[in-house]
Amino acid sequence: MARTQPVPSLIAIIMIAGMCAAVLLTQGRTVGIQQAVVNTLDDAGTRTIIVRADAGAGLDDSVLARLHRLSSVATAVGFGDPVDATNSYLPGGTRVAAHTFYSLSPAQLGIQGTDSVDNAIASPEALEELGMAEPSGSISTVDGLEYPVTAQLDVPDHLAFMEPLIVIPRESSPDESQQGEPLTVLVVVANQASEVPQLTAVLRSVLGVSDPESVSIELSGDLIELRELVDSQLASSGRSLTLLIFTVTAVLVTATLTALIMLRRRDYGRRRALGASQRLICALVLTQTSTIAIVGSAAGAILAFAVLAASGVPQPPWQYFLAVASLATAIGSVSAVTPAVVAARRDPARELRVP
C-alpha cells in the first residue's frame, strides 16, 4: 500500500525523520552538553565527603568495613595522624607530611598487592618537595622512623586537597569487633552526587566516635549547588522547543495521512464491499503508518547521529536516541488513528461510486 503511493509515503517519512532529527540536533545536543558538564562537575569533587577528627575522637579504621556495606558508597579511605618526613639523604631538607593509609582495597590508590605495605609512596609533587627525581631512596620521620620510597602515587581528584601527599599503606582489618587504628581524616566518595545529602545524614551514625563534637564533616557545597543548578537549567531549556516540534509535526503528519487515505478511498470501499471489517481497515492503515513512522524515525536518528558526530559536540546517551525515535514513531502512529477511523467508517457503496 505504501509503495503504490510513493510520493505521499515519502513525504510522511521525510516529515517524521525531520521531526526526529530536529529534536536530536537541538534538545539532544543540549542533553549531550548537559551530561558532559555534569560529569565534569562530578569529577571535580561533588561526590566527596571529608571527615576530620581530632586525635582523641575515637575514629578508627574499623569504620571502613561499616561504610563498605552502604550501597551509596563508591569508595572510602582513611588516613592516620600526619608526621613530618624528610629525604633521608638530605638532612634538614623540606618537610612533607606523611600519612598512614588504610583501605579495604589498596588498589584504589593504584597500590597493587601487599608489597607496598609499610613502604612510602609519594606523589610527584611530594617527590619534588623531597628532592627526589625518581621514587627511590627513603624518608625519615621526625619520630625517628625510616621508610623506603618504593613507588610514585597518582593522586585521584578527590584526594587532591591533601597534596603534597606521602602515604604509608597499612593493612586494614574488616573485623569491626576489634579496635582499629586511629584515623584523623576519612574520605568518602558517593556513587552519585545526588546521594551525597542522604549519605551525609547517615555518616555520623556509622563513625563510631566517642565525641561527636570533635568530628567535622566537609562537603563541596558550592559545587553541589552549581551541579544541581546546571542540571535543572539545561534540562528545562529545550522542553518547550521539543514540544513545539512534536506538536507541529503531528499536525502535519495527520494532514498528510488524511490526504493519503482520501486518495485510496476507492480501495478501502472495495475492501469493505468484499467483506473487510472496520477493524481490519483500521489495522491496515495503522500498520502502513507505523511502518512509515519506523523508517522515518530510524532515518532521522541516523542523520542526527552523523551530524552530531561530525560537529564534535558531546553526544547524548543512546537511551536518548532510542527514546526520541520511539516517541517519533508513536506520534506518527497515533496521528493515523483519526484518518484510520474515518476510512473504516466510510460507506462502501458511496466510495465505489467515486470516479
Side-chain angles (χ1 to χ4, degrees), residues 53-289:
D54 294 340
L59 182 65
D60 58 58
D61 67 324
S62 64
V63 69
L64 299 175
R66 293 190 290 273
L67 290 172
H68 185 70
R69 294 201 301 264
L70 299 178
S71 60
S72 58
V73 174
T75 182
V77 296
F79 297 88
D81 198 18
V83 58
D84 286 342
T86 59
N87 190 331
S88 299
Y89 301 99
L90 294 175
T94 303
R95 293 186 176 186
V96 180
H99 304 257
T100 50
F101 170 75
Y102 301 91
S103 172
L104 296 182
S105 177
Q108 292 168 348
L109 283 182
I111 304 169
Q112 304 295 333
T114 59
D115 293 340
S116 298
V117 173
D118 291 332
N119 293 335
I121 302 176
S123 68
E125 185 175 337
L127 290 174
E128 183 177 355
E129 293 283 339
L130 292 170
M132 294 183 179
E134 299 291 336
S136 61
S138 64
I139 59 172
S140 299
T141 63
V142 294
D143 53 6
L145 299 177
E146 186 171 335
Y147 299 95
V149 179
T150 58
Q152 179 173 298
L153 174 66
D154 294 327
V155 180
D157 292 338
H158 61 273
L159 296 180
F161 70 96
M162 299 190 69
E163 284 275 40
L165 180 60
I166 301 175
V167 297
I168 303 171
R170 298 282 174 79
E171 292 184 357
S172 180
S173 172
D175 188 356
E176 302 176 39
S177 62
Q178 300 179 0
Q179 181 68 30
E181 298 296 327
L183 303 178
T184 56
V185 176
L186 175 66
V187 181
V188 182
V189 181
N191 285 313
Q192 299 179 7
S194 59
E195 297 175 335
V196 169
Q198 294 82 359
L199 181 58
T200 305
V202 302
L203 191 56
R204 288 188 181 273
S205 63
V206 301
L207 291 179
V209 296
S210 57
D211 183 10
E213 296 299 325
S214 60
V215 174
S216 63
I217 298 179
E218 301 175 8
L219 303 175
S220 302
D222 294 339
L223 283 176
I224 293 175
E225 293 178 2
L226 177 61
R227 180 193 184 280
E228 293 177 352
L229 178 62
V230 170
D231 198 11
S232 61
Q233 291 291 333
L234 291 178
S236 61
S237 61
R239 290 175 181 170
S240 57
L241 177 60
T242 301
L243 180 61
L244 177 62
I245 292 174
F246 277 136
T247 302
V248 171
T249 305
V251 173
L252 294 176
V253 170
T254 301
T256 301
L257 293 176
T258 301
L260 187 150
I261 289 171
M262 292 303 295
L263 291 174
R264 296 191 61 87
R265 60 186 184 274
R266 288 194 63 187
D267 179 62
Y268 296 129
R270 188 180 301 109
R271 292 175 183 272
R272 292 278 288 121
L274 293 175
S277 64
Q278 294 183 358
R279 182 174 299 179
L280 177 60
I281 298 299
C282 287
L284 287 173
V285 175
L286 293 177
T287 301
Q288 176 187 358
T289 307

Side-chain angles (χ1 to χ4, degrees), residues 20-57:
C20 188
V23 171
L24 289 172
L25 291 176
T26 53
Q27 181 65 0
R29 182 191 299 261
T30 301
V31 169
I33 296 174
Q34 171 193 357
Q35 292 295 320
V37 172
V38 168
N39 290 338
T40 300
L41 291 175
D42 284 347
D43 293 340
T46 56
R47 300 182 293 124
T48 303
I49 304 172
I50 302 171
V51 180
R52 299 183 186 273
D54 294 340

